[in-house]
Amino acid sequence: MAGSSEKQVVVIGIDDSEQSTYALKWTLDHFFPSPIFKLVLVHSRPTATSAVGLAGPGAAEILPIVDSDLRKIAARVVDSARQLCIDKSVDDVTAEVVEGDPRNVLCDAVEKYRAAILVVGSHGYGAIKRAVLGSVSDYCAHHAHCTVMIVKKPKVKH
Protein backbone atom coordinates (compact mmCIF):
# COMPACT_ATOMS: atom_id res chain seq x y z
CA MET A 1 0.00 0.00 0.00
CA ALA A 2 1.18 3.50 -0.75
CA GLY A 3 2.68 5.60 1.99
CA SER A 4 0.74 8.48 3.48
CA SER A 5 2.51 11.09 1.29
CA GLU A 6 2.45 8.97 -1.87
CA LYS A 7 -0.55 9.20 -4.16
CA GLN A 8 -2.50 6.00 -4.78
CA VAL A 9 -2.73 4.98 -8.40
CA VAL A 10 -5.96 4.57 -10.34
CA VAL A 11 -5.46 2.69 -13.60
CA ILE A 12 -8.18 3.13 -16.23
CA GLY A 13 -8.40 0.83 -19.22
CA ILE A 14 -9.20 2.91 -22.31
CA ASP A 15 -10.21 1.98 -25.84
CA ASP A 16 -12.24 3.58 -28.61
CA SER A 17 -15.61 2.45 -27.28
CA GLU A 18 -18.46 4.53 -25.89
CA GLN A 19 -18.32 2.41 -22.70
CA SER A 20 -14.65 3.24 -22.14
CA THR A 21 -15.27 6.95 -22.63
CA TYR A 22 -18.17 6.83 -20.18
CA ALA A 23 -16.02 5.01 -17.58
CA LEU A 24 -13.27 7.61 -17.91
CA LYS A 25 -15.71 10.53 -17.64
CA TRP A 26 -17.45 8.93 -14.65
CA THR A 27 -14.15 8.39 -12.86
CA LEU A 28 -12.95 11.91 -13.58
CA ASP A 29 -16.25 13.32 -12.28
CA HIS A 30 -16.18 11.28 -9.06
CA PHE A 31 -12.49 10.96 -8.12
CA PHE A 32 -10.59 13.84 -9.73
CA PRO A 33 -8.96 16.26 -9.35
CA SER A 34 -7.68 14.55 -6.26
CA PRO A 35 -4.92 15.09 -3.73
CA ILE A 36 -4.77 11.33 -3.04
CA PHE A 37 -5.02 9.69 -6.48
CA LYS A 38 -2.74 9.64 -9.50
CA LEU A 39 -4.26 8.64 -12.83
CA VAL A 40 -2.75 6.13 -15.27
CA LEU A 41 -4.49 5.54 -18.61
CA VAL A 42 -3.70 2.24 -20.33
CA HIS A 43 -4.68 1.33 -23.88
CA SER A 44 -4.17 -2.22 -25.10
CA ARG A 45 -3.28 -2.32 -28.78
CA PRO A 46 -3.77 -5.60 -30.66
CA THR A 47 -0.91 -6.96 -32.71
CA ALA A 48 -1.29 -6.61 -36.46
CA THR A 49 -1.38 -10.40 -36.86
CA SER A 50 -4.13 -10.80 -34.29
CA ALA A 51 -6.14 -7.97 -35.86
CA VAL A 52 -5.88 -9.45 -39.34
CA GLY A 53 -6.05 -13.06 -38.22
CA LEU A 54 -3.99 -14.36 -41.09
CA ALA A 55 -0.51 -15.39 -41.97
CA GLY A 56 0.78 -16.67 -45.26
CA PRO A 57 1.04 -15.33 -48.79
CA GLY A 58 0.24 -11.63 -48.87
CA ALA A 59 0.46 -11.17 -45.09
CA ALA A 60 3.90 -9.56 -45.30
CA GLU A 61 2.48 -6.78 -47.47
CA ILE A 62 -0.65 -6.05 -45.45
CA LEU A 63 0.70 -6.34 -41.88
CA PRO A 64 2.70 -3.06 -41.95
CA ILE A 65 -0.41 -1.22 -43.17
CA VAL A 66 -2.57 -2.74 -40.43
CA ASP A 67 0.12 -2.02 -37.82
CA SER A 68 0.26 1.63 -38.93
CA ASP A 69 -3.53 1.91 -38.65
CA LEU A 70 -3.49 0.33 -35.17
CA ARG A 71 -0.83 2.82 -34.05
CA LYS A 72 -2.95 5.72 -35.36
CA ILE A 73 -6.03 4.41 -33.55
CA ALA A 74 -4.04 4.03 -30.32
CA ALA A 75 -2.71 7.57 -30.60
CA ARG A 76 -6.24 8.88 -31.19
CA VAL A 77 -7.59 6.95 -28.17
CA VAL A 78 -4.86 8.31 -25.89
CA ASP A 79 -5.15 11.87 -27.23
CA SER A 80 -8.92 11.83 -26.74
CA ALA A 81 -8.58 10.50 -23.17
CA ARG A 82 -5.89 13.08 -22.34
CA GLN A 83 -8.18 15.84 -23.65
CA LEU A 84 -11.01 14.64 -21.39
CA CYS A 85 -8.58 14.83 -18.47
CA ILE A 86 -7.49 18.36 -19.42
CA ASP A 87 -11.15 19.40 -19.73
CA LYS A 88 -11.69 18.19 -16.15
CA SER A 89 -8.52 19.98 -14.89
CA VAL A 90 -6.68 16.71 -14.30
CA ASP A 91 -3.10 17.14 -15.44
CA ASP A 92 -1.18 14.57 -13.37
CA VAL A 93 -1.81 11.80 -15.90
CA THR A 94 0.37 9.03 -17.26
CA ALA A 95 -0.77 7.33 -20.45
CA GLU A 96 0.66 4.30 -22.15
CA VAL A 97 -0.10 2.03 -25.06
CA VAL A 98 0.83 -1.62 -24.63
CA GLU A 99 0.58 -4.27 -27.32
CA GLY A 100 -1.33 -7.37 -26.24
CA ASP A 101 -4.56 -8.81 -24.92
CA PRO A 102 -6.37 -6.18 -22.82
CA ARG A 103 -6.99 -8.63 -19.99
CA ASN A 104 -3.28 -9.27 -19.51
CA VAL A 105 -2.21 -5.72 -20.31
CA LEU A 106 -4.50 -4.24 -17.62
CA CYS A 107 -3.56 -6.80 -14.96
CA ASP A 108 0.13 -6.20 -15.74
CA ALA A 109 -0.40 -2.43 -15.45
CA VAL A 110 -1.94 -2.93 -12.01
CA GLU A 111 1.25 -4.72 -10.93
CA LYS A 112 3.60 -2.25 -12.65
CA TYR A 113 2.02 0.82 -11.06
CA ARG A 114 0.96 -0.92 -7.82
CA ALA A 115 -2.55 0.38 -8.46
CA ALA A 116 -5.10 0.71 -5.69
CA ILE A 117 -8.01 0.69 -8.17
CA LEU A 118 -8.50 -0.57 -11.72
CA VAL A 119 -11.40 1.01 -13.62
CA VAL A 120 -12.88 -0.65 -16.69
CA GLY A 121 -16.01 0.01 -18.68
CA SER A 122 -18.67 -2.62 -19.24
CA HIS A 123 -19.87 -3.45 -22.73
CA GLY A 124 -22.94 -5.11 -21.23
CA TYR A 125 -22.65 -8.35 -23.17
CA GLY A 126 -24.98 -11.19 -22.29
CA ALA A 127 -23.70 -14.49 -20.91
CA ILE A 128 -23.28 -16.20 -24.29
CA LYS A 129 -21.46 -13.33 -25.97
CA ARG A 130 -19.26 -12.93 -22.87
CA ALA A 131 -18.40 -16.64 -22.96
CA VAL A 132 -17.50 -16.52 -26.65
CA LEU A 133 -15.65 -13.19 -26.74
CA GLY A 134 -14.32 -13.20 -23.21
CA SER A 135 -15.02 -10.34 -20.85
CA VAL A 136 -12.15 -8.04 -19.97
CA SER A 137 -14.00 -6.78 -16.90
CA ASP A 138 -14.79 -10.32 -15.66
CA TYR A 139 -11.20 -11.41 -16.15
CA CYS A 140 -9.80 -8.36 -14.36
CA ALA A 141 -12.28 -8.71 -11.50
CA HIS A 142 -10.90 -12.19 -10.86
CA HIS A 143 -7.20 -11.69 -11.64
CA ALA A 144 -6.17 -8.09 -10.89
CA HIS A 145 -4.45 -7.64 -7.53
CA CYS A 146 -6.42 -4.56 -6.54
CA THR A 147 -9.97 -3.28 -6.27
CA VAL A 148 -11.70 -3.42 -9.66
CA MET A 149 -14.45 -0.97 -10.45
CA ILE A 150 -16.62 -1.84 -13.44
CA VAL A 151 -18.42 1.27 -14.66
CA LYS A 152 -21.61 0.46 -16.49
CA LYS A 153 -23.43 3.09 -18.50
CA PRO A 154 -27.06 3.34 -17.37
CA LYS A 155 -29.57 2.06 -19.88
CA VAL A 156 -31.91 4.64 -21.31
CA LYS A 157 -35.51 3.91 -20.36
CA HIS A 158 -38.06 4.47 -23.10
Side-chain angles (χ1 to χ4, degrees), residues 106-108 110-111 114-118 140-148:
L106 292 174
C107 287
D108 290 347
V110 164
E111 296 300 315
R114 293 185 300 223
I117 303 171
L118 170 62
C140 291
H142 290 95
H143 295 91
H145 296 275
C146 69
T147 298
V148 177

Side-chain angles (χ1 to χ4, degrees), residues 37-70:
F37 291 120
K38 176 179 177 14
L39 184 58
V40 176
L41 306 173
V42 178
H43 174 66
S44 169
R45 182 173 78 86
T47 62
T49 52
S50 70
V52 173
L54 66 93
E61 290 81 32
I62 197 164
L63 289 179
I65 297 166
V66 172
D67 188 61
S68 174
D69 286 346
L70 291 171

Side-chain angles (χ1 to χ4, degrees), residues 84-132:
L84 283 173
C85 293
I86 290 166
D87 293 348
K88 298 287 186 175
S89 302
V90 179
D91 51 4
D92 185 13
V93 179
T94 300
E96 70 175 13
V97 176
V98 180
E99 194 173 72
D101 183 296
R103 294 170 283 213
N104 299 325
V105 166
L106 292 174
C107 287
D108 290 347
V110 164
E111 296 300 315
K112 176 181 176 180
Y113 293 101
R114 293 185 300 223
I117 303 171
L118 170 62
V119 179
V120 291
S122 172
H123 286 268
Y125 296 144
I128 293 173
K129 204 168 192 181
R130 221 176 23 248
V132 172

Side-chain angles (χ1 to χ4, degrees), residues 10 15 17 25 32 37 40-41 46 48 63-64 73 80 83 100 102 107-108 116 126-127 136 141 156 158:
V10 175
D15 61 24
S17 71
K25 287 178 179 176
F32 292 92
F37 291 120
V40 176
L41 306 173
L63 289 179
I73 291 167
S80 176
Q83 188 58 53
C107 287
D108 290 347
V136 173
V156 179
H158 298 283

